[in-house]
């Protein structure tokens, strides 16, 4: 497969103290354009933390892109809740820019961020980056029918579940999630707390408000994993980076096998029942196709 000239091939090297924070070959000029580096090429503490998170995530995503490209000769990635599209731009820079195929879609509800990202992509010559100003639900009907990799980095609360819905609908080969701010399950636990305390001593796990929030977050991600397994995916859960960099640090990786686990669907149904979360059955429904 012919390789195209990289748009930042002739840029000057990074200063030594910044180079230590970058991945080999990572573009300093792109990081400046994204305002991760300052104009003089420096990193502040917040930017260093952000760069560390995204770079670590790239290490998980790039192999998935290589696998897909080898399997079908093309690859489409959709990034939900894209924000300023740091992930999309850095992936395009490292993987897509030097290749004649592959497309990155950024889905973001805030129109001003979409317009800014689209302008930057045009300025950089990143011709196969596309941006949609919409929620995940709104974008369901407009995005391509064939999607290989779906990502959602810090998509808040149920937006992560919407990204899962999208990935299951498109039968994506791979799903990469870093959940954030899960509140829906905790709210349901809170409403039914008195009933559950009378029913089981396990309700002590979420009796106090702090525990309700933390337990609700944990339960949400466990049920997401069960849903993915029941829908034909192998699931791995790990840390994204050290806890000193982010408290929203859980990384869920799912690869489609097509082998649905009936036991996962059964355990998911039992969890919903035993925790008093039956009203959320639609949220955690198992894909039928």
């Amino acid at each position: 497969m012919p390789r195209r000239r990289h748009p930042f091939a002739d840029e000057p090297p990074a200063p030594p103290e910044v180079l230590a924070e970058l991945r080999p070959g990572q573009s300093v000029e792109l990081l400046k354009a994204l305002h991760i580096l300052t104009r003089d090429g420096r990193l502040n503490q917040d930017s260093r933390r952000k760069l560390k998170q995204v770079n670590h995530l790239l290490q998980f995503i790039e192999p998935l892109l290589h696998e897909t490209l080898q399997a079908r000769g093309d690859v489409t990635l959709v990034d939900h809740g894209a924000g300023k599209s740091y992930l999309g731009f850095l992936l395009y820079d490292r993987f897509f820019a030097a290749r004649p195929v592959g497309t990155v879609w950024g889905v973001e509800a805030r129109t001003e961020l979409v317009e800014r990202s689209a302008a930057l992509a045009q300025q950089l010559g990143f011709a196969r980056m596309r941006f949609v100003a919409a929620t995940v639900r709104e974008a369901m009907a407009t995005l391509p029918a064939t999607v290989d990799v779906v990502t959602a980095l810090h998509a808040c609360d149920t937006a992560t579940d919407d990204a899962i819905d999208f990935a299951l609908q498109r039968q994506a080969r791979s799903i990469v999630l870093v959940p954030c701010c899960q509140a829906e399950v905790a709210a349901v636990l809170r409403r039914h707390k008195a009933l559950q305390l009378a029913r089981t001593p396990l309700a002590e796990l979420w009796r106090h408000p702090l525990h309700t929030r933390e337990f609700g977050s944990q339960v949400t991600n466990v049920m997401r994993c069960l849903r993915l397994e029941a829908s034909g995916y192998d699931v791995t859960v790990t840390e994204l980076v050290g806890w000193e960099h982010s408290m929203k640090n859980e990384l869920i990786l799912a690869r489609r096998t097509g082998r649905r686990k009936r036991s996962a669907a059964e355990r998911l149904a039992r969890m919903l029942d035993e925790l008093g979360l039956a009203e959320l059955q639609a949220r955690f429904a198992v894909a039928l196709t």
Side-chain angles (χ1 to χ4, degrees), residues 24-54:
Q26 193 159 37
S27 168
V28 172
E29 293 306 312
L30 175 60
L31 294 175
K32 288 180 181 179
L34 294 173
H35 304 293
I36 293 176
L37 292 180
T38 61
R39 290 182 180 179
D40 59 356
R42 305 293 176 181
L43 275 169
N44 60 38
Q45 191 58 38
D46 181 61
S47 295
R48 180 175 282 105
R49 182 167 55 249
K50 187 177 302 178
L51 181 62
K52 188 177 184 68
Q53 289 183 52
V54 176

PDB file of all heavy atoms in Angstrom, residues 24-54:
ATOM      1  N   PRO A  24       7.290   8.723  19.905  1.00  0.00           N
ATOM      2  CA  PRO A  24       8.201   8.891  18.768  1.00  0.00           C
ATOM      3  C   PRO A  24       7.473   9.374  17.521  1.00  0.00           C
ATOM      4  O   PRO A  24       6.440   8.821  17.130  1.00  0.00           O
ATOM      5  CB  PRO A  24       8.761   7.472  18.558  1.00  0.00           C
ATOM      6  CG  PRO A  24       8.668   6.835  19.904  1.00  0.00           C
ATOM      7  CD  PRO A  24       7.410   7.388  20.518  1.00  0.00           C
ATOM      8  N   GLY A  25       7.986  10.436  16.929  1.00  0.00           N
ATOM      9  CA  GLY A  25       7.406  10.970  15.710  1.00  0.00           C
ATOM     10  C   GLY A  25       6.185  11.838  15.903  1.00  0.00           C
ATOM     11  O   GLY A  25       5.603  12.311  14.924  1.00  0.00           O
ATOM     12  N   GLN A  26       5.794  12.097  17.150  1.00  0.00           N
ATOM     13  CA  GLN A  26       4.589  12.893  17.389  1.00  0.00           C
ATOM     14  C   GLN A  26       4.831  14.351  16.995  1.00  0.00           C
ATOM     15  O   GLN A  26       5.878  14.919  17.263  1.00  0.00           O
ATOM     16  CB  GLN A  26       4.179  12.801  18.853  1.00  0.00           C
ATOM     17  CG  GLN A  26       2.784  13.328  19.128  1.00  0.00           C
ATOM     18  CD  GLN A  26       2.220  12.771  20.417  1.00  0.00           C
ATOM     19  OE1 GLN A  26       2.932  12.587  21.393  1.00  0.00           O
ATOM     20  NE2 GLN A  26       0.932  12.482  20.427  1.00  0.00           N
ATOM     21  N   SER A  27       3.824  14.949  16.360  1.00  0.00           N
ATOM     22  CA  SER A  27       3.978  16.277  15.784  1.00  0.00           C
ATOM     23  C   SER A  27       3.849  17.385  16.819  1.00  0.00           C
ATOM     24  O   SER A  27       2.804  17.540  17.461  1.00  0.00           O
ATOM     25  CB  SER A  27       2.926  16.486  14.692  1.00  0.00           C
ATOM     26  OG  SER A  27       2.886  17.847  14.313  1.00  0.00           O
ATOM     27  N   VAL A  28       4.897  18.170  16.963  1.00  0.00           N
ATOM     28  CA  VAL A  28       4.882  19.329  17.845  1.00  0.00           C
ATOM     29  C   VAL A  28       3.933  20.393  17.303  1.00  0.00           C
ATOM     30  O   VAL A  28       3.177  21.020  18.056  1.00  0.00           O
ATOM     31  CB  VAL A  28       6.306  19.900  18.010  1.00  0.00           C
ATOM     32  CG1 VAL A  28       6.274  21.225  18.771  1.00  0.00           C
ATOM     33  CG2 VAL A  28       7.200  18.896  18.723  1.00  0.00           C
ATOM     34  N   GLU A  29       3.964  20.593  15.982  1.00  0.00           N
ATOM     35  CA  GLU A  29       3.127  21.637  15.383  1.00  0.00           C
ATOM     36  C   GLU A  29       1.640  21.317  15.550  1.00  0.00           C
ATOM     37  O   GLU A  29       0.828  22.218  15.770  1.00  0.00           O
ATOM     38  CB  GLU A  29       3.480  21.812  13.904  1.00  0.00           C
ATOM     39  CG  GLU A  29       4.880  22.364  13.664  1.00  0.00           C
ATOM     40  CD  GLU A  29       5.125  23.660  14.423  1.00  0.00           C
ATOM     41  OE1 GLU A  29       4.264  24.560  14.344  1.00  0.00           O
ATOM     42  OE2 GLU A  29       6.163  23.761  15.091  1.00  0.00           O
ATOM     43  N   LEU A  30       1.283  20.054  15.452  1.00  0.00           N
ATOM     44  CA  LEU A  30      -0.110  19.688  15.677  1.00  0.00           C
ATOM     45  C   LEU A  30      -0.501  19.942  17.122  1.00  0.00           C
ATOM     46  O   LEU A  30      -1.587  20.466  17.409  1.00  0.00           O
ATOM     47  CB  LEU A  30      -0.350  18.222  15.320  1.00  0.00           C
ATOM     48  CG  LEU A  30      -1.760  17.698  15.622  1.00  0.00           C
ATOM     49  CD1 LEU A  30      -2.818  18.488  14.856  1.00  0.00           C
ATOM     50  CD2 LEU A  30      -1.874  16.216  15.305  1.00  0.00           C
ATOM     51  N   LEU A  31       0.358  19.585  18.051  1.00  0.00           N
ATOM     52  CA  LEU A  31       0.062  19.815  19.465  1.00  0.00           C
ATOM     53  C   LEU A  31      -0.077  21.300  19.771  1.00  0.00           C
ATOM     54  O   LEU A  31      -0.879  21.698  20.611  1.00  0.00           O
ATOM     55  CB  LEU A  31       1.151  19.183  20.340  1.00  0.00           C
ATOM     56  CG  LEU A  31       1.222  17.654  20.290  1.00  0.00           C
ATOM     57  CD1 LEU A  31       2.423  17.159  21.091  1.00  0.00           C
ATOM     58  CD2 LEU A  31      -0.065  17.026  20.804  1.00  0.00           C
ATOM     59  N   LYS A  32       0.672  22.130  19.075  1.00  0.00           N
ATOM     60  CA  LYS A  32       0.507  23.576  19.217  1.00  0.00           C
ATOM     61  C   LYS A  32      -0.849  24.014  18.654  1.00  0.00           C
ATOM     62  O   LYS A  32      -1.553  24.825  19.256  1.00  0.00           O
ATOM     63  CB  LYS A  32       1.625  24.317  18.487  1.00  0.00           C
ATOM     64  CG  LYS A  32       2.993  24.237  19.147  1.00  0.00           C
ATOM     65  CD  LYS A  32       4.014  25.020  18.334  1.00  0.00           C
ATOM     66  CE  LYS A  32       5.403  24.948  18.932  1.00  0.00           C
ATOM     67  NZ  LYS A  32       6.393  25.690  18.120  1.00  0.00           N
ATOM     68  N   ALA A  33      -1.209  23.465  17.500  1.00  0.00           N
ATOM     69  CA  ALA A  33      -2.479  23.830  16.872  1.00  0.00           C
ATOM     70  C   ALA A  33      -3.659  23.428  17.747  1.00  0.00           C
ATOM     71  O   ALA A  33      -4.696  24.099  17.757  1.00  0.00           O
ATOM     72  CB  ALA A  33      -2.584  23.169  15.501  1.00  0.00           C
ATOM     73  N   LEU A  34      -3.490  22.339  18.505  1.00  0.00           N
ATOM     74  CA  LEU A  34      -4.543  21.878  19.407  1.00  0.00           C
ATOM     75  C   LEU A  34      -4.489  22.570  20.768  1.00  0.00           C
ATOM     76  O   LEU A  34      -5.314  22.304  21.637  1.00  0.00           O
ATOM     77  CB  LEU A  34      -4.419  20.360  19.614  1.00  0.00           C
ATOM     78  CG  LEU A  34      -4.685  19.487  18.387  1.00  0.00           C
ATOM     79  CD1 LEU A  34      -4.350  18.033  18.691  1.00  0.00           C
ATOM     80  CD2 LEU A  34      -6.125  19.625  17.921  1.00  0.00           C
ATOM     81  N   HIS A  35      -3.483  23.449  20.946  1.00  0.00           N
ATOM     82  CA  HIS A  35      -3.275  24.178  22.196  1.00  0.00           C
ATOM     83  C   HIS A  35      -2.947  23.240  23.359  1.00  0.00           C
ATOM     84  O   HIS A  35      -3.198  23.574  24.523  1.00  0.00           O
ATOM     85  CB  HIS A  35      -4.495  25.054  22.539  1.00  0.00           C
ATOM     86  CG  HIS A  35      -4.865  26.006  21.458  1.00  0.00           C
ATOM     87  ND1 HIS A  35      -4.067  27.063  21.093  1.00  0.00           N
ATOM     88  CD2 HIS A  35      -5.951  26.045  20.628  1.00  0.00           C
ATOM     89  CE1 HIS A  35      -4.641  27.728  20.093  1.00  0.00           C
ATOM     90  NE2 HIS A  35      -5.773  27.125  19.793  1.00  0.00           N
ATOM     91  N   ILE A  36      -2.392  22.075  23.030  1.00  0.00           N
ATOM     92  CA  ILE A  36      -1.848  21.206  24.073  1.00  0.00           C
ATOM     93  C   ILE A  36      -0.453  21.694  24.439  1.00  0.00           C
ATOM     94  O   ILE A  36      -0.060  21.682  25.612  1.00  0.00           O
ATOM     95  CB  ILE A  36      -1.826  19.738  23.597  1.00  0.00           C
ATOM     96  CG1 ILE A  36      -3.265  19.230  23.430  1.00  0.00           C
ATOM     97  CG2 ILE A  36      -1.069  18.850  24.579  1.00  0.00           C
ATOM     98  CD1 ILE A  36      -3.373  17.833  22.880  1.00  0.00           C
ATOM     99  N   LEU A  37       0.299  22.141  23.441  1.00  0.00           N
ATOM    100  CA  LEU A  37       1.560  22.843  23.681  1.00  0.00           C
ATOM    101  C   LEU A  37       1.339  24.340  23.511  1.00  0.00           C
ATOM    102  O   LEU A  37       0.504  24.767  22.714  1.00  0.00           O
ATOM    103  CB  LEU A  37       2.640  22.391  22.691  1.00  0.00           C
ATOM    104  CG  LEU A  37       3.180  20.968  22.803  1.00  0.00           C
ATOM    105  CD1 LEU A  37       4.233  20.729  21.730  1.00  0.00           C
ATOM    106  CD2 LEU A  37       3.748  20.686  24.174  1.00  0.00           C
ATOM    107  N   THR A  38       2.087  25.127  24.262  1.00  0.00           N
ATOM    108  CA  THR A  38       2.022  26.572  24.100  1.00  0.00           C
ATOM    109  C   THR A  38       2.713  26.971  22.795  1.00  0.00           C
ATOM    110  O   THR A  38       3.348  26.144  22.133  1.00  0.00           O
ATOM    111  CB  THR A  38       2.716  27.284  25.275  1.00  0.00           C
ATOM    112  OG1 THR A  38       4.104  26.900  25.301  1.00  0.00           O
ATOM    113  CG2 THR A  38       2.068  26.892  26.601  1.00  0.00           C
ATOM    114  N   ARG A  39       2.603  28.226  22.418  1.00  0.00           N
ATOM    115  CA  ARG A  39       3.202  28.683  21.160  1.00  0.00           C
ATOM    116  C   ARG A  39       4.713  28.468  21.117  1.00  0.00           C
ATOM    117  O   ARG A  39       5.291  28.261  20.045  1.00  0.00           O
ATOM    118  CB  ARG A  39       2.901  30.170  20.950  1.00  0.00           C
ATOM    119  CG  ARG A  39       1.432  30.454  20.635  1.00  0.00           C
ATOM    120  CD  ARG A  39       1.210  31.929  20.401  1.00  0.00           C
ATOM    121  NE  ARG A  39      -0.196  32.222  20.095  1.00  0.00           N
ATOM    122  CZ  ARG A  39      -0.663  33.432  19.875  1.00  0.00           C
ATOM    123  NH1 ARG A  39       0.164  34.483  19.913  1.00  0.00           N
ATOM    124  NH2 ARG A  39      -1.952  33.617  19.606  1.00  0.00           N
ATOM    125  N   ASP A  40       5.355  28.535  22.294  1.00  0.00           N
ATOM    126  CA  ASP A  40       6.801  28.308  22.321  1.00  0.00           C
ATOM    127  C   ASP A  40       7.142  26.840  22.591  1.00  0.00           C
ATOM    128  O   ASP A  40       8.282  26.508  22.902  1.00  0.00           O
ATOM    129  CB  ASP A  40       7.485  29.213  23.355  1.00  0.00           C
ATOM    130  CG  ASP A  40       6.948  28.990  24.763  1.00  0.00           C
ATOM    131  OD1 ASP A  40       6.000  28.198  24.924  1.00  0.00           O
ATOM    132  OD2 ASP A  40       7.496  29.611  25.698  1.00  0.00           O
ATOM    133  N   GLY A  41       6.150  25.967  22.471  1.00  0.00           N
ATOM    134  CA  GLY A  41       6.409  24.537  22.552  1.00  0.00           C
ATOM    135  C   GLY A  41       6.515  23.976  23.950  1.00  0.00           C
ATOM    136  O   GLY A  41       7.129  22.918  24.153  1.00  0.00           O
ATOM    137  N   ARG A  42       5.908  24.638  24.935  1.00  0.00           N
ATOM    138  CA  ARG A  42       5.988  24.169  26.322  1.00  0.00           C
ATOM    139  C   ARG A  42       4.702  23.458  26.737  1.00  0.00           C
ATOM    140  O   ARG A  42       3.661  23.613  26.110  1.00  0.00           O
ATOM    141  CB  ARG A  42       6.246  25.350  27.266  1.00  0.00           C
ATOM    142  CG  ARG A  42       7.478  26.167  26.914  1.00  0.00           C
ATOM    143  CD  ARG A  42       8.744  25.384  27.105  1.00  0.00           C
ATOM    144  NE  ARG A  42       9.921  26.147  26.684  1.00  0.00           N
ATOM    145  CZ  ARG A  42      11.172  25.682  26.719  1.00  0.00           C
ATOM    146  NH1 ARG A  42      11.390  24.450  27.162  1.00  0.00           N
ATOM    147  NH2 ARG A  42      12.166  26.437  26.314  1.00  0.00           N
ATOM    148  N   LEU A  43       4.804  22.701  27.824  1.00  0.00           N
ATOM    149  CA  LEU A  43       3.662  21.986  28.408  1.00  0.00           C
ATOM    150  C   LEU A  43       3.394  22.518  29.797  1.00  0.00           C
ATOM    151  O   LEU A  43       4.316  22.614  30.613  1.00  0.00           O
ATOM    152  CB  LEU A  43       3.978  20.488  28.522  1.00  0.00           C
ATOM    153  CG  LEU A  43       3.737  19.576  27.323  1.00  0.00           C
ATOM    154  CD1 LEU A  43       4.365  18.225  27.590  1.00  0.00           C
ATOM    155  CD2 LEU A  43       2.254  19.418  27.051  1.00  0.00           C
ATOM    156  N   ASN A  44       2.125  22.864  30.081  1.00  0.00           N
ATOM    157  CA  ASN A  44       1.783  23.140  31.479  1.00  0.00           C
ATOM    158  C   ASN A  44       1.275  21.845  32.116  1.00  0.00           C
ATOM    159  O   ASN A  44       1.142  20.817  31.454  1.00  0.00           O
ATOM    160  CB  ASN A  44       0.757  24.268  31.596  1.00  0.00           C
ATOM    161  CG  ASN A  44      -0.552  23.957  30.884  1.00  0.00           C
ATOM    162  OD1 ASN A  44      -1.029  22.824  30.891  1.00  0.00           O
ATOM    163  ND2 ASN A  44      -1.148  24.975  30.260  1.00  0.00           N
ATOM    164  N   GLN A  45       0.975  21.894  33.407  1.00  0.00           N
ATOM    165  CA  GLN A  45       0.626  20.665  34.111  1.00  0.00           C
ATOM    166  C   GLN A  45      -0.661  20.050  33.585  1.00  0.00           C
ATOM    167  O   GLN A  45      -0.766  18.823  33.426  1.00  0.00           O
ATOM    168  CB  GLN A  45       0.485  20.944  35.623  1.00  0.00           C
ATOM    169  CG  GLN A  45       0.386  19.679  36.474  1.00  0.00           C
ATOM    170  CD  GLN A  45       1.576  18.745  36.301  1.00  0.00           C
ATOM    171  OE1 GLN A  45       2.708  19.192  36.163  1.00  0.00           O
ATOM    172  NE2 GLN A  45       1.315  17.454  36.285  1.00  0.00           N
ATOM    173  N   ASP A  46      -1.653  20.883  33.305  1.00  0.00           N
ATOM    174  CA  ASP A  46      -2.917  20.365  32.803  1.00  0.00           C
ATOM    175  C   ASP A  46      -2.736  19.723  31.432  1.00  0.00           C
ATOM    176  O   ASP A  46      -3.272  18.649  31.157  1.00  0.00           O
ATOM    177  CB  ASP A  46      -3.952  21.492  32.727  1.00  0.00           C
ATOM    178  CG  ASP A  46      -5.299  21.003  32.219  1.00  0.00           C
ATOM    179  OD1 ASP A  46      -5.901  20.135  32.882  1.00  0.00           O
ATOM    180  OD2 ASP A  46      -5.740  21.472  31.154  1.00  0.00           O
ATOM    181  N   SER A  47      -1.971  20.377  30.562  1.00  0.00           N
ATOM    182  CA  SER A  47      -1.732  19.836  29.231  1.00  0.00           C
ATOM    183  C   SER A  47      -0.919  18.552  29.289  1.00  0.00           C
ATOM    184  O   SER A  47      -1.146  17.617  28.513  1.00  0.00           O
ATOM    185  CB  SER A  47      -1.004  20.864  28.363  1.00  0.00           C
ATOM    186  OG  SER A  47      -1.815  21.995  28.132  1.00  0.00           O
ATOM    187  N   ARG A  48       0.022  18.487  30.207  1.00  0.00           N
ATOM    188  CA  ARG A  48       0.822  17.264  30.364  1.00  0.00           C
ATOM    189  C   ARG A  48      -0.068  16.092  30.756  1.00  0.00           C
ATOM    190  O   ARG A  48       0.081  14.982  30.233  1.00  0.00           O
ATOM    191  CB  ARG A  48       1.917  17.479  31.411  1.00  0.00           C
ATOM    192  CG  ARG A  48       2.802  16.256  31.633  1.00  0.00           C
ATOM    193  CD  ARG A  48       3.936  16.555  32.590  1.00  0.00           C
ATOM    194  NE  ARG A  48       5.005  17.297  31.916  1.00  0.00           N
ATOM    195  CZ  ARG A  48       5.231  18.592  32.081  1.00  0.00           C
ATOM    196  NH1 ARG A  48       4.477  19.310  32.899  1.00  0.00           N
ATOM    197  NH2 ARG A  48       6.227  19.178  31.441  1.00  0.00           N
ATOM    198  N   ARG A  49      -0.994  16.333  31.654  1.00  0.00           N
ATOM    199  CA  ARG A  49      -1.920  15.281  32.091  1.00  0.00           C
ATOM    200  C   ARG A  49      -2.819  14.850  30.926  1.00  0.00           C
ATOM    201  O   ARG A  49      -3.044  13.661  30.711  1.00  0.00           O
ATOM    202  CB  ARG A  49      -2.750  15.795  33.264  1.00  0.00           C
ATOM    203  CG  ARG A  49      -3.729  14.783  33.846  1.00  0.00           C
ATOM    204  CD  ARG A  49      -4.278  15.253  35.175  1.00  0.00           C
ATOM    205  NE  ARG A  49      -4.878  16.569  35.102  1.00  0.00           N
ATOM    206  CZ  ARG A  49      -4.365  17.663  35.676  1.00  0.00           C
ATOM    207  NH1 ARG A  49      -3.236  17.597  36.369  1.00  0.00           N
ATOM    208  NH2 ARG A  49      -4.973  18.829  35.565  1.00  0.00           N
ATOM    209  N   LYS A  50      -3.327  15.826  30.171  1.00  0.00           N
ATOM    210  CA  LYS A  50      -4.207  15.530  29.043  1.00  0.00           C
ATOM    211  C   LYS A  50      -3.469  14.738  27.971  1.00  0.00           C
ATOM    212  O   LYS A  50      -3.985  13.749  27.433  1.00  0.00           O
ATOM    213  CB  LYS A  50      -4.744  16.842  28.475  1.00  0.00           C
ATOM    214  CG  LYS A  50      -5.805  16.697  27.415  1.00  0.00           C
ATOM    215  CD  LYS A  50      -6.294  18.081  26.996  1.00  0.00           C
ATOM    216  CE  LYS A  50      -6.847  18.863  28.170  1.00  0.00           C
ATOM    217  NZ  LYS A  50      -7.284  20.219  27.805  1.00  0.00           N
ATOM    218  N   LEU A  51      -2.244  15.171  27.674  1.00  0.00           N
ATOM    219  CA  LEU A  51      -1.447  14.500  26.654  1.00  0.00           C
ATOM    220  C   LEU A  51      -1.125  13.065  27.071  1.00  0.00           C
ATOM    221  O   LEU A  51      -1.169  12.143  26.256  1.00  0.00           O
ATOM    222  CB  LEU A  51      -0.156  15.278  26.407  1.00  0.00           C
ATOM    223  CG  LEU A  51       0.792  14.706  25.347  1.00  0.00           C
ATOM    224  CD1 LEU A  51       0.120  14.674  23.977  1.00  0.00           C
ATOM    225  CD2 LEU A  51       2.068  15.540  25.276  1.00  0.00           C
ATOM    226  N   LYS A  52      -0.827  12.868  28.345  1.00  0.00           N
ATOM    227  CA  LYS A  52      -0.520  11.529  28.834  1.00  0.00           C
ATOM    228  C   LYS A  52      -1.712  10.597  28.667  1.00  0.00           C
ATOM    229  O   LYS A  52      -1.560   9.450  28.238  1.00  0.00           O
ATOM    230  CB  LYS A  52      -0.097  11.590  30.302  1.00  0.00           C
ATOM    231  CG  LYS A  52       0.425  10.268  30.857  1.00  0.00           C
ATOM    232  CD  LYS A  52       0.898  10.423  32.285  1.00  0.00           C
ATOM    233  CE  LYS A  52       1.518   9.138  32.808  1.00  0.00           C
ATOM    234  NZ  LYS A  52       2.794   8.812  32.126  1.00  0.00           N
ATOM    235  N   GLN A  53      -2.911  11.084  28.976  1.00  0.00           N
ATOM    236  CA  GLN A  53      -4.115  10.266  28.832  1.00  0.00           C
ATOM    237  C   GLN A  53      -4.350   9.878  27.371  1.00  0.00           C
ATOM    238  O   GLN A  53      -4.576   8.707  27.054  1.00  0.00           O
ATOM    239  CB  GLN A  53      -5.331  11.028  29.352  1.00  0.00           C
ATOM    240  CG  GLN A  53      -5.386  11.193  30.853  1.00  0.00           C
ATOM    241  CD  GLN A  53      -6.659  11.903  31.275  1.00  0.00           C
ATOM    242  OE1 GLN A  53      -7.755  11.498  30.899  1.00  0.00           O
ATOM    243  NE2 GLN A  53      -6.523  12.967  32.045  1.00  0.00           N
ATOM    244  N   VAL A  54      -4.300  10.873  26.480  1.00  0.00           N
ATOM    245  CA  VAL A  54      -4.606  10.602  25.076  1.00  0.00           C
ATOM    246  C   VAL A  54      -3.532   9.709  24.461  1.00  0.00           C
ATOM    247  O   VAL A  54      -3.841   8.767  23.722  1.00  0.00           O
ATOM    248  CB  VAL A  54      -4.763  11.911  24.283  1.00  0.00           C
ATOM    249  CG1 VAL A  54      -4.980  11.614  22.804  1.00  0.00           C
ATOM    250  CG2 VAL A  54      -5.934  12.721  24.823  1.00  0.00           C
TER     251      VAL A  54
END
